[in-house]
Amino acid sequence: MLRRKFLGVLGAAGVGVALGKSAHAAGNKHFEGYPGSFGVLFDATRCIGCRRCEAGCNQVNGLPAPTKPFDDLSVLDGKRRTDAKTYTIVNRYDNIPGSAGPVFRKNQCQHCLEPACASSCFVRAFTKTSNGAVTWDGSVCVGCRYCMIACPFEIPTFEYDEPLTPRIMKCTMCYPQITSGLLTVPGCVGSCPVEALVFGKRTDLINIARSRIQAFPGRYLNQIYGEHEMGGTNWLYVSGVPFKEIGLREDLGVTPAPELTSGALAAVPLVAGLWPVLLTGVYAINKRKEKIAGEEKQQAVAAAVAKAEAEAKAKLDKAKADAEAEKKSAIEREVKKALEEAAKAPNEEGA
């Protein structure tokens, strides 16, 4: 069994034990998505690789500026993936058979109908919202990073450079901004100059995709990627070249992540039961270590302050003693000088 699949089995099993329910029950019936949920349709035949979607995402999410500016298209010379500072990227695919030129594809969280990240998270840090987005709650996350292993699209990333409060970072389909009224469409969609991205209800997007395929059968493959893959996603794709040629996996099948792991629970009951306990223990140990480290830091600061105060007092006492000694020495010099002058006076008068 592949490492990713094996760990996926353990993760889904851990969910069942931690929540007091069988993970198998979650896989008995395929969840077809919330009625009226939203999504995004990406048309690979329209994308020109301008990276404006990256810039729009960066701006509305307040992400750090990239090393190279967004108008520098030299980054397309190599394949990239999302990271803790980048929610979405565009890649260029050259020399595709049957294509007259390069094809571009945008990559971000697929917002699966039944997310593998959510099914593998025993503390329910991930939520499939009713509007279609998959979100993450840092207040309950224990930092196990199991979601990174479980996701078949390799999307969740970890802030390794943030030592105190690292987060799991990924595209949220601009859920916070849209639900608060700051945006009406995701930042990437609003920034696209060629309408390669369409935001709307998932059912409407599927109809739009089918209409394009029917209207231009020579331009598009007769397939909507994400309609059924891994049980379906809220991020959909249409393309004029095979999806594998633009970096999308075609080996995932149509079975949702929870169903893939449910059948193996009987084979690993002990390990599955211990998994959440183990991670909870690791979490407790880490918290204990943080507390001890905090106390040690406070003690170290107090000791440093006391040492600094003692050194300052010693320097002040020495300065005072030096000043007194100098003052005494100056007085003695003046007295000696006065006596010498007084002694000289009678001699001068006799002369």
Side-chain angles (χ1 to χ4, degrees):
M1 182 181 291
L2 295 177
R3 177 175 179 268
R4 180 182 295 275
K5 188 171 182 180
F6 173 71
L7 291 174
V9 169
L10 298 186
V15 173
V17 176
L19 302 181
K21 297 180 180 180
S22 171
H24 181 75
N28 283 339
K29 185 177 181 181
H30 169 44
F31 176 62
E32 297 182 355
Y34 290 102
S37 66
F38 289 84
V40 177
L41 172 65
F42 172 79
D43 191 332
T45 69
R46 298 189 179 192
C47 182
I48 59 175
C50 65
R51 298 184 65 205
R52 291 190 184 178
C53 57
E54 294 184 30
C57 173
N58 178 276
Q59 181 179 3
V60 301
N61 288 288
L63 299 173
T67 304
K68 294 184 178 180
F70 291 108
D71 57 0
D72 185 349
L73 303 185
S74 65
V75 299
L76 300 177
D77 294 338
K79 295 299 180 289
R80 299 178 296 151
R81 60 159 294 177
T82 59
D83 56 39
K85 297 178 176 59
T86 311
Y87 287 173
T88 186
I89 54 94
V90 174
N91 277 325
R92 185 185 70 218
Y93 299 87
D94 301 308
N95 303 318
I96 299 177
S99 177
V103 180
F104 302 93
R105 199 261 297 184
K106 180 179 178 298
N107 188 34
Q108 70 297 302
C109 176
Q110 306 296 321
H111 298 281
C112 305
L113 299 185
E114 295 188 78
C117 57
S119 68
S120 66
C121 181
F122 69 91
V123 294
R124 291 186 174 181
F126 287 91
T127 300
K128 178 67 177 179
T129 64
S130 59
N131 82 335
V134 177
T135 61
W136 173 80
D137 181 2
S139 67
V140 297
C141 178
V142 297
C144 67
R145 287 162 283 177
Y146 189 71
C147 54
M148 296 171 59
I149 301 174
C151 177
F153 301 104
E154 299 181 343
I155 292 300
T157 55
F158 190 72
E159 289 183 313
Y160 289 103
D161 59 346
E162 179 56 57
L164 298 179
T165 57
R167 297 169 293 174
I168 294 293
M169 305 294 281
K170 74 171 199 68
C171 161
T172 62
M173 207 190 296
C174 289
Y175 176 81
Q177 296 90 335
I178 291 176
T179 54
S180 64
L182 294 176
L183 295 176
T184 56
V185 299
C188 59
V189 177
S191 302
C192 182
V194 294
E195 297 184 353
L197 296 165
V198 181
F199 178 73
K201 292 185 177 180
R202 185 175 186 270
T203 52
D204 294 338
L205 296 178
I206 291 175
N207 291 333
I208 292 172
R210 287 175 179 163
S211 297
R212 291 184 184 181
I213 293 171
Q214 292 174 1
F216 304 99
R219 180 188 300 176
Y220 296 99
L221 294 179
N222 187 21
Q223 180 185 354
I224 304 171
Y225 191 95
E227 183 178 11
H228 302 296
E229 281 74 12
M230 286 295 293
T233 64
N234 281 78
W235 206 283
L236 307 167
Y237 293 85
V238 289
S239 172
V241 299
F243 292 107
K244 66 179 180 180
E245 298 290 348
I246 55 175
L248 286 167
R249 294 182 60 179
E250 293 186 336
D251 61 338
L252 298 176
V254 298
T255 306
E259 290 188 23
L260 287 173
T261 58
S262 61
L265 291 180
V268 288
L270 179 59
V271 176
L274 291 177
W275 181 248
V277 177
L278 172 63
L279 291 180
T280 303
V282 171
Y283 174 70
I285 292 172
N286 287 336
K287 286 297 182 182
R288 175 63 177 167
K289 287 171 63 179
E290 291 174 3
K291 181 179 179 181
I292 294 174
E295 293 174 350
E296 290 177 347
K297 183 178 180 181
Q298 292 178 355
Q299 293 173 359
V301 170
V305 170
K307 182 180 179 181
E309 291 177 348
E311 291 177 350
K313 186 177 183 302
K315 289 180 180 179
L316 180 60
D317 292 342
K318 185 177 184 301
K320 288 181 178 180
D322 292 343
E324 288 294 333
E326 178 63 26
K327 182 179 178 180
K328 182 179 180 180
S329 177
I331 293 173
E332 290 176 351
R333 286 195 302 268
E334 291 298 324
V335 170
K336 182 179 180 181
K337 182 178 179 182
L339 292 174
E340 290 176 349
E341 290 178 351
K344 291 178 181 179
N347 296 332
E348 291 176 353
E349 291 176 357

